[in-house]
Amino acid sequence: MRSVETVEVGEDDGVARIDRWLRRRYPHLTQGQVEKMIRTGQVRVDGARVKASDRVNPGQSVRIPPIPEAAPRAPVSGLSRKDEDFIRSLVLHKDDDVIVLNKPHGIAVQGGAKTMRHIDGMLDGLKFENEKRPKLVHRLDRDTSGCLVLARHPRAAAFLGEAFRDRDTDKIYWAVVVGSPRPKIGELRSWMRKAPGAHDADREMMQRAVQWDEGAVHAVTQYVVMSEAAGRAAWVALRPVTGRTHQLRFHMAEMGHAIAGDPKYKCDRPTPNDLTGALLLHARALRLPHPSGGELKVVAPLPPHMKAIFDLLGFDERDAKDPFEPFEGNR
């Protein structure tokens, strides 16, 4: 058990909610434990009581009550050279604050009961000159490829996490869907919720809901049909206005134009046999505020499985030099 201590908020911590600052500093504590310490006045900032949602700034002093030591963890074997080379080969952008990867299809972002190899488990390979590994600030589904953002230090993690939560980021996805959506430009809105009984992320499913259903969330997706292949399939650009689980996959299936290769979300329209392989959904581009100022814009090249389908269907990615342009009037 630690004794009472006073800790100064560092410059690298940035401005953060006190509960999130505590969770980052003491990751073995649960959110419930942190909230109880704050609620009972055991945590104080510059001598004053605070609420979990209050923010701390660099230079402020935080009183930390006695905290149990973290349980000893089993030693983690070092990252293999093969995995280090692999994770570094995915880097699209790297600076002092941010790393952006081009995540491949078929590899999970985080581990689970049956997932031993995943991006989070290889982040030690992206320390480079830093002592600490970078931190994930958002997720992509296992079968979705494309832009994945990492923060290189706590201040950047807090800044980027808030940018994603406040929808200050702009994300564009490319998909190949069955059939040709009409109208060719539109916005999809619906209420959705997690289907009961699926607690493992790999088995998670979203289902249609109404506003007053328990756990219901509102989802909004903008779409533009970029090109069509004789009515059998279409290249669609998607912009999620909200960031719900499986939102794009759910919305396209509900529209009657499911994303080709999706094993979970299907529609009545038959999928052409040559499009029944891997999920054809790619996080093509990302635009977000940079922790050190300005704006960061990253475009992820198409993965091989999607490039092959584009070639098969006669789609030319050069027809969309700027992935954001089709949506500029809707920002």
Side-chain angles (χ1 to χ4, degrees):
M1 180 77 73
R2 301 169 184 265
S3 59
V4 174
E5 59 180 331
T6 300
V7 177
E8 183 175 306
V9 180
E11 286 295 330
D12 281 347
D13 292 325
V15 179
R17 282 174 49 133
I18 182 63
D19 58 343
R20 292 177 184 144
W21 182 85
L22 287 164
R23 288 294 306 277
R24 288 204 305 267
R25 187 172 182 86
Y26 307 103
H28 63 288
L29 294 179
T30 66
Q31 182 68 20
Q33 288 174 310
V34 168
E35 290 179 358
K36 182 178 180 181
M37 289 192 303
I38 296 171
R39 187 174 61 251
T40 56
Q42 298 178 72
V43 173
R44 295 179 180 246
V45 176
D46 290 341
R49 294 181 68 134
V50 290
K51 296 182 294 185
S53 59
D54 288 343
R55 298 179 182 274
V56 290
N57 295 273
Q60 289 189 298
S61 296
V62 182
R63 177 195 184 274
I64 309 293
I67 290 176
E69 297 286 349
R73 298 177 60 184
V76 179
S77 58
L79 195 66
S80 70
R81 175 57 62 89
K82 179 180 177 181
D83 280 347
E84 181 177 312
D85 290 344
F86 169 73
I87 196 71
R88 291 191 175 195
S89 74
L90 307 181
V91 174
L92 292 172
H93 170 88
K94 177 173 78 73
D95 59 40
D96 291 342
D97 303 307
V98 184
I99 293 174
V100 183
L101 304 181
N102 187 8
K103 187 191 89 65
H105 154 83
I107 184 166
V109 171
Q110 293 178 299
K114 298 181 180 179
T115 304
M116 303 305 295
R117 189 170 187 262
H118 47 85
I119 297 294
D120 192 38
M122 291 183 271
L123 292 187
D124 280 343
L126 297 177
K127 289 180 181 178
F128 296 103
E129 72 282 0
N130 290 352
E131 291 184 5
K132 295 184 178 180
R133 70 204 310 258
K135 180 181 176 62
L136 294 161
V137 293
H138 72 126
R139 279 183 50 190
L140 291 175
D141 295 340
R142 176 195 294 269
D143 292 329
T144 303
S145 56
C147 293
L148 182 69
V149 181
L150 313 172
R152 301 196 69 193
H153 52 76
R155 177 178 59 81
F159 178 92
L160 293 169
E162 193 157 318
F164 276 95
R165 284 190 297 273
D166 293 346
R167 302 178 190 170
D168 290 336
T169 61
D170 200 6
K171 296 173 282 186
I172 304 298
Y173 290 73
W174 282 2
V176 175
V177 305
V178 296
S180 298
R182 293 291 185 273
K184 290 187 177 183
I185 299 175
E187 184 172 87
L188 306 173
R189 292 174 171 267
S190 67
W191 289 89
M192 55 196 293
R193 65 173 181 173
K194 291 184 181 180
H199 303 295
D200 187 326
D202 288 338
R203 295 196 297 271
E204 230 169 33
M205 284 281 291
M206 301 300 289
Q207 64 182 24
R208 191 182 310 172
V210 292
Q211 182 175 357
W212 48 84
D213 284 343
E214 183 179 357
V217 293
H218 195 237
V220 182
T221 300
Q222 296 170 352
Y223 74 90
V224 176
V225 176
M226 305 296 293
S227 188
E228 299 169 298
R232 60 197 291 262
W235 161 23
V236 178
L238 300 164
R239 178 175 177 261
V241 179
T242 54
R244 311 304 187 189
T245 300
H246 297 175
Q247 172 180 320
L248 304 180
R249 298 163 64 181
F250 174 85
H251 268 161
M252 295 313 297
E254 286 285 294
M255 188 188 189
H257 297 280
I259 298 174
D262 196 329
K264 293 184 176 183
Y265 298 92
K266 301 181 182 296
C267 61
D268 293 337
R269 198 179 307 271
T271 302
N273 290 335
D274 46 10
L275 303 182
T276 56
L279 178 70
L280 299 178
L281 179 62
H282 178 64
R284 173 65 169 180
L286 185 68
R287 183 165 56 190
L288 71 164
H290 193 280
S292 293
E295 183 179 80
L296 175 63
K297 180 178 176 180
V298 182
V299 177
L302 283 176
H305 74 287
M306 282 194 69
K307 184 70 169 66
I309 296 300
F310 267 50
D311 292 343
L312 175 70
L313 298 176
F315 300 151
D316 190 344
E317 62 181 294
R318 293 174 296 182
D319 292 340
K321 293 180 180 178
D322 181 354
F324 298 97
E325 190 274 333
F327 299 95
E328 288 299 345
N330 295 323
R331 287 196 75 188

